[in-house]
Amino acid sequence: MTTTALVWLRRDLRLGDQPALHHAVAHHDVVVPVFVFAPEEEKDWQPGAASRWWLHHSLTALAERFAKLGSPLIVRSGSSLAVLRTLVKDAGAEAVYWNRLYEPAVIARDAKIKDALRADGLTAESFNGAVLFEPWQLKTGAGDPYRVYSPMFRAAEARFDEIRKPLPAPKKLAVPSKALKSETLDALGLLPTIAWDGGLHEHWQPGEKGALQRLEQFASQPIAKYKDLRDQPALDGAVSGLSPHLHFGEISPQQAFVRAQQANHELSGAGAHGNIHHFVKELFWREFSHHLLYHYPKTPTEPMYEKFAAFPWRKPKDYAADLVAWQKGLTGIPIVDAGMRQLWVTGWMHNRVRMIVASFLTKNLLIPWQEGAAWFWDTLVDASLPQNTLGWQWAAGCGADAAPYFRIFNPVLQGEKFDAEGSYVRTWVPELATLPAKFIHKPWEAPSEMRRAAGIALDSVYAHPVVDLKESRDRALAAFAKIKASADA
Ligand SMILES: Cc1cc2nc3c(=O)[nH]c(=O)nc-3n(C[C@H](O)[C@H](O)[C@H](O)COP(=O)(O)OP(=O)(O)OC[C@H]3O[C@@H](n4cnc5c(N)ncnc54)[C@H](O)[C@@H]3O)c2cc1C
């Protein structure tokens, strides 16, 4: 008798190293891939505009692959459980498989769906398709979750041999005997109605093919200099650019990990091994973020360091204009504006600059980190709840393993250190393109004739800084002292 399974795809939009698909193909004659669009089930964390753009193109690429394999991707919208039940009936399936996700609302939804499908007499199984170690696999000596990265990484490193070798992609799928109705991807309305997405098209190729190409390109050589060059935002290709591909599951972290190990055998030269090891460590910041979100599910909105809840942020009516200046890249601080404009155009920002703009928002502007996280959520193509939460709490100084609050980045010094020639600023803030490197990160200090020669009149062509860096630093330190005093009392 022919047996049929549904594979419920979510953020695992690939064919290679796809545990749920692999299992279905190994145990059933017919496999029906299904994507259900149900954003409201993700509650407060429905995909933002940039993520929706990516999802549309990633699904388009995946649908082409499944069509070639023989079993077309079925796309539906509506309640996930109701859609799965209907498709089980229509396809005559007896099993539903999927890969696990770790956002609190999704975990709760998936648990209910698993119970309901099993109560219907079906096989319902989930697999690990998104992380190297699941959040419950690594524990401190006392059996608790980790709150600090380094011991978690050491524990993981001792177990590297447990990491799965990537599973092969199916070469062919049986054609389902019944044709199942599918909605068009256009009908999901994921694309913007006004065309702001030109920069995204230019910078990215969503889908498994683009993901594998990027991994290959990075691991064939740049990975050998990763640690040395990863903090220089002007250097294209010095970092992997894999974050949106990992987020949407177009490649698995296992594929990235194994390819990095292969590079470690293939590449030699000054410091290559240390550089490659550092890349693996960054993959574990992604792991750490999933670990934290799973064990501390309130952290997308609440500080991990609880005393921080009383932090005296400015009030929305007082900071509204500064928030808009930050969002638009018009703060008058060149490295901050460059980062915010890179984000707007490409849907991505270099990690060093993410740290700088986040520090500037939370410390110099004293605007709550949740505002910054919300903007990133809407504009990043790699917007990921665990990683965005970790990044913002770290930058604000209220998270697990955070930089101490009093360590406030000076964006001018950061710019001078990591973008010494000002190339990154010149790319994204063209108003400053002809200013000499000496002043590119602090145009307000340039002699007025030089500013005139460079065509910059502060406040008209380029904004005057929205805050004084020294005064705002002192204000942040005073605010921190207040919560510290009340916590110590
Ligand atoms: C305020 C703030 C917000 C952030 N929000 C996100 C987010 O929403 N989504 C996201 O994927 N990353 C986020 N990051 C982490 C980091 O900036 C990006 O993962 C990285 O810039 C992506 O570029 P890449 O793929 O070239 O990274 P690479 O340097 O090539 O690193 C490889 C992979 O490791 C992971 N990784 C690297 N650094 C980190 C890190 N610090 N924390 C967690 N994972 C990491 C990513 O999956 C990345 O793709 C945030 C960082 C900060 C400071």
Side-chain angles (χ1 to χ4, degrees):
M1 204 183 92
T2 307
T3 69
T4 300
L6 305 185
V7 174
W8 176 26
L9 295 149
R10 297 105 63 81
R11 286 204 310 275
D12 45 4
L13 305 177
R14 63 180 183 270
L15 300 180
D17 197 34
Q18 225 296 9
L21 178 64
H22 189 261
H23 182 88
V25 170
H27 293 88
H28 299 271
D29 306 302
V30 176
V31 173
V32 177
V34 178
F35 180 83
V36 186
F37 186 57
E40 62 294 340
E41 292 175 6
E42 298 183 49
K43 304 274 188 245
D44 294 338
W45 300 103
Q46 303 183 19
S51 299
R52 288 163 73 94
W53 176 90
W54 192 286
L55 183 60
H56 176 95
H57 293 291
S58 190
L59 285 170
T60 306
L62 190 70
E64 280 170 19
R65 303 278 317 275
F66 273 118
K68 279 198 190 125
L69 286 186
S71 184
L73 176 67
I74 305 302
V75 176
R76 297 271 176 98
S77 47
S79 137
S80 297
L81 178 59
V83 169
L84 291 172
R85 278 181 161 150
T86 307
L87 285 172
V88 159
K89 218 163 123 237
D90 293 352
E94 59 263 29
V96 184
Y97 302 116
W98 65 88
N99 295 309
R100 287 185 277 280
L101 294 171
Y102 304 92
E103 291 79 3
V106 176
I107 292 177
R109 189 252 335 247
D110 291 355
K112 273 194 198 146
I113 290 183
K114 197 182 260 181
D115 287 348
L117 294 175
R118 286 182 177 170
D120 292 347
L122 299 163
T123 299
E125 287 297 338
S126 61
F127 298 83
N128 171 15
V131 285
L132 295 167
F133 290 93
E134 294 198 87
W136 49 89
Q137 280 184 285
L138 298 172
K139 293 192 185 102
T140 66
D144 296 324
Y146 285 100
R147 289 173 71 105
V148 179
Y149 166 84
S150 299
M152 190 218 69
F153 179 70
R154 281 196 296 276
E157 206 174 7
R159 296 174 58 177
F160 272 3
D161 55 352
E162 291 174 34
I163 293 174
R164 178 182 75 232
K165 300 283 167 287
L167 304 163
K171 294 206 162 57
K172 208 169 159 3
L173 293 174
V175 180
S177 54
K178 289 178 219 156
L180 298 164
K181 261 208 337 244
S182 177
E183 289 173 33
T184 64
L185 287 172
D186 284 343
L188 304 185
L190 293 166
L191 292 178
T193 43
I194 19 173
W196 51 259
D197 52 343
L200 270 56
H201 278 290
E202 213 175 286
H203 285 87
W204 301 104
Q205 185 189 348
E208 189 171 12
K209 190 169 161 217
L212 291 172
Q213 273 172 3
R214 208 173 256 270
L215 175 61
E216 199 42 48
Q217 202 269 333
F218 177 70
S220 64
Q221 202 40 255
I223 194 172
K225 294 219 176 312
Y226 175 75
K227 183 171 185 237
D228 300 341
L229 303 179
R230 65 182 289 267
D231 270 320
Q232 297 185 40
L235 295 182
D236 268 351
V239 291
S240 72
L242 285 171
S243 50
H245 298 292
L246 282 165
H247 174 65
F248 285 92
E250 297 168 351
I251 54 163
S252 66
Q254 283 79 0
Q255 288 170 300
F257 176 83
V258 166
R259 187 62 188 86
Q261 284 193 320
Q262 192 191 327
N264 207 33
H265 291 298
E266 290 167 358
L267 302 172
S268 51
H273 297 319
N275 277 290
I276 295 169
H277 184 63
H278 202 86
F279 176 72
V280 169
K281 286 180 84 171
E282 289 307 312
L283 290 177
F284 274 88
W285 276 101
R286 179 177 180 276
E287 295 286 305
F288 184 51
S289 71
H290 283 74
H291 186 87
L292 289 177
L293 181 62
Y294 179 80
H295 292 290
Y296 305 98
K298 292 188 180 158
T299 50
T301 49
E302 293 176 20
M304 178 111 182
Y305 171 47
E306 285 150 12
K307 290 169 197 151
F308 220 92
F311 190 82
W313 301 110
R314 286 161 76 204
K315 301 277 172 278
K317 67 175 173 34
D318 300 328
Y319 67 62
D322 288 347
L323 178 60
V324 172
W326 178 83
Q327 291 168 338
K328 292 191 166 166
L330 294 173
T331 65
I333 307 291
I335 190 91
V336 171
D337 293 343
M340 297 309 293
R341 296 186 200 183
Q342 179 182 34
L343 172 62
W344 184 249
V345 174
T346 68
W348 184 89
M349 192 195 301
H350 188 277
N351 179 60
R352 168 60 49 185
V353 191
R354 291 188 203 205
M355 295 195 286
I356 298 171
V357 304
S359 166
F360 182 75
L361 185 83
T362 53
K363 301 193 173 158
N364 297 97
L365 296 181
L366 226 55
I367 295 180
W369 61 270
Q370 292 92 336
E371 292 276 17
W375 182 253
F376 271 29
W377 186 257
D378 201 34
T379 51
L380 277 173
V381 286
D382 65 21
S384 131
L385 195 57
Q387 286 157 284
N388 201 36
T389 302
L390 172 70
W392 278 98
Q393 292 225 12
W394 183 92
C398 61
D401 215 3
Y405 187 86
F406 51 81
R407 207 177 286 155
I408 296 177
F409 276 1
N410 178 324
V412 174
L413 297 181
Q414 288 282 315
E416 288 173 348
K417 182 164 179 195
F418 297 110
D419 183 36
E421 293 306 313
S423 321
Y424 179 72
V425 165
R426 284 177 226 286
T427 302
W428 296 107
V429 189
E431 308 92 290
L432 300 179
T434 58
L435 202 62
K438 185 167 180 220
F439 294 106
I440 189 102
H441 292 290
K442 44 183 180 196
W444 58 89
E445 284 188 13
S448 50
E449 321 80 74
M450 189 186 282
R451 282 208 302 264
R452 240 191 328 271
I456 316 162
L458 288 183
D459 276 343
S460 57
V461 174
Y462 186 67
H464 195 75
V466 289
V467 276
D468 177 275
L469 292 176
K470 160 109 184 47
E471 278 168 22
S472 59
R473 180 176 190 280
D474 292 346
R475 178 178 64 173
L477 289 174
F480 179 65
K482 254 195 221 163
I483 55 156
K484 194 165 175 330
S486 65
D488 292 346

